[in-house]
Amino acid sequence: ELARFNKERWEELAEAGVEYSRPFLDLAEADARKVIDIEGKLGNVKGKNVLCLAAGGGQQSAAFGLLGANVTVLDLSETQLQRDVEAANHYGLDVKIHQGDMRNLSRFTPDSFDIVWQAHSINFVPDVREVYQQVARVLIDGGMYRLHCTNPFTHTVIDDKWNGEGYLLKDAYVDGEIEYPDPHWDVTGFDGENQKIAGPREFRHTLSTLVNGLIESGFTIDGLWEDTSDQTGPEPGSWEHFKSIAAPWITFLSTYGSQ
């Protein structure tokens, strides 16, 4: 039921032109590296088998492909995957695409990938361990897992609720489904028009759940980064101001197995 609902939502968001569904069609190699390895930790990916997990949209798959990786994409949305096809055709890349749920990677044999690169998507499932265990199965010993997700401390802090002094932190800090006052996403479409599109169901995963789940699934955490604003003196109440106070996203880099 959850997968069906979220798939419908992502099909509509992608068709409307949400930013995550816009393929990168003007990447140079230097740009490609910035797309998939802002932290500079993945090393040389040429010849590596990479799974872009729940990362359709023609963005990361194109970047990895341009850097010489053997790229596979799994995503819930056919529309998102079509963007990967579009990007691959544009660059003349061979990218394998699979439609499916991130919680079931049984179509892939064990030890299939050197890198699993997961876009901002794990917050659309209620149990991170289901995903972690699947990732562990398909990674080689010593394989790398890069996970980008919502910062659980700020997941329910709304950026437009600036009251002149701060942003309201009010919901209990627990694992579970997030209910927003307005479940719609503001989407600027391909035609430049703004639309309100109902978003997918989302779940908060506390930091202890994220970290302990990785450890219990056989991962060693190599790094953690928080996304914040790089602007000086942003206008109070703006998105950049919110980011300067409450980091909205975090990234983990982990190694699987005994290495």
Side-chain angles (χ1 to χ4, degrees), residues 44-109:
N44 185 2
V45 301
K46 186 175 182 179
K48 297 289 182 69
N49 296 320
V50 176
L51 174 61
C52 294
L53 180 58
Q59 300 180 357
Q60 293 81 29
S61 63
F64 272 113
L66 287 171
L67 293 172
N70 305 313
V71 184
T72 300
V73 185
L74 182 137
D75 198 275
L76 198 59
S77 162
E78 285 99 346
T79 306
Q80 285 286 86
L81 290 169
Q82 187 55 44
R83 307 285 195 252
D84 292 280
V85 173
E86 180 181 345
N89 290 341
H90 175 78
Y91 293 110
L93 301 173
D94 180 18
V95 174
K96 300 177 178 65
I97 64 169
H98 294 265
Q99 189 280 326
D101 192 313
M102 71 181 91
R103 297 170 292 180
N104 182 1
L105 303 183
S106 60
R107 71 189 69 200
F108 304 120
T109 59

Side-chain angles (χ1 to χ4, degrees), residues 193-258:
E193 294 294 322
N194 293 324
Q195 306 174 60
K196 276 201 170 278
I197 307 291
R201 291 169 62 186
E202 290 186 51
F203 300 83
R204 188 215 308 265
H205 310 299
T206 61
L207 189 60
S208 58
T209 294
L210 290 165
V211 170
N212 292 331
L214 285 168
I215 294 169
E216 292 163 9
S217 299
F219 291 94
T220 299
I221 298 173
D222 302 310
L224 183 152
W225 297 268
E226 299 155 304
D227 289 8
T228 57
S229 176
D230 58 2
Q231 292 189 9
T232 302
E235 180 69 22
S238 68
W239 173 239
E240 290 299 327
H241 184 260
F242 174 78
K243 286 169 60 181
S244 72
I245 291 177
W249 305 296
I250 54 177
T251 300
F252 294 91
L253 186 64
S254 302
T255 302
Y256 175 69
S258 58

Side-chain angles (χ1 to χ4, degrees), residues 7-232:
K7 181 178 184 299
E8 291 172 354
R9 304 281 25 93
W10 270 106
E11 298 294 2
E12 187 173 0
L13 286 165
E15 289 170 3
V18 69
E19 62 180 303
Y20 313 110
S21 72
R22 296 170 177 245
F24 293 160
L25 302 179
D26 57 355
L27 287 178
E29 187 171 324
D31 301 319
R33 172 63 64 176
K34 293 176 184 177
V35 169
I36 53 95
D37 191 19
I38 298 172
E39 302 83 21
K41 300 293 185 180
L42 292 184
N44 185 2
V45 301
K46 186 175 182 179
K48 297 289 182 69
N49 296 320
V50 176
L51 174 61
C52 294
L53 180 58
Q59 300 180 357
Q60 293 81 29
S61 63
F64 272 113
L66 287 171
L67 293 172
N70 305 313
V71 184
T72 300
V73 185
L74 182 137
D75 198 275
L76 198 59
S77 162
E78 285 99 346
T79 306
Q80 285 286 86
L81 290 169
Q82 187 55 44
R83 307 285 195 252
D84 292 280
V85 173
E86 180 181 345
N89 290 341
H90 175 78
Y91 293 110
L93 301 173
D94 180 18
V95 174
K96 300 177 178 65
I97 64 169
H98 294 265
Q99 189 280 326
D101 192 313
M102 71 181 91
R103 297 170 292 180
N104 182 1
L105 303 183
S106 60
R107 71 189 69 200
F108 304 120
T109 59
D111 310 317
S112 295
F113 299 102
D114 301 289
I115 299 171
V116 173
W117 198 104
Q118 182 158 11
H120 190 129
S121 55
I122 206 164
N123 294 105
F124 302 129
V125 297
D127 186 354
V128 295
R129 288 174 175 83
E130 287 185 304
V131 180
Y132 290 168
Q133 290 162 9
Q134 292 291 306
V135 171
R137 190 185 71 83
V138 302
L139 271 176
I140 63 167
D141 188 34
M144 304 178 77
Y145 177 33
R146 185 188 186 279
L147 170 69
H148 186 258
C149 62
T150 302
N151 182 342
F153 293 107
T154 62
H155 201 155
T156 59
V157 183
I158 308 300
D159 60 288
D160 63 359
K161 296 300 182 183
W162 171 254
N163 64 8
E165 296 182 353
Y167 297 93
L168 184 62
L169 179 66
K170 62 182 180 64
D171 294 309
Y173 182 69
V174 295
D175 291 296
E177 187 162 3
I178 300 295
E179 294 187 7
Y180 293 105
D182 182 356
H184 294 82
W185 291 18
D186 291 314
V187 177
T188 301
F190 292 108
D191 58 3
E193 294 294 322
N194 293 324
Q195 306 174 60
K196 276 201 170 278
I197 307 291
R201 291 169 62 186
E202 290 186 51
F203 300 83
R204 188 215 308 265
H205 310 299
T206 61
L207 189 60
S208 58
T209 294
L210 290 165
V211 170
N212 292 331
L214 285 168
I215 294 169
E216 292 163 9
S217 299
F219 291 94
T220 299
I221 298 173
D222 302 310
L224 183 152
W225 297 268
E226 299 155 304
D227 289 8
T228 57
S229 176
D230 58 2
Q231 292 189 9
T232 302

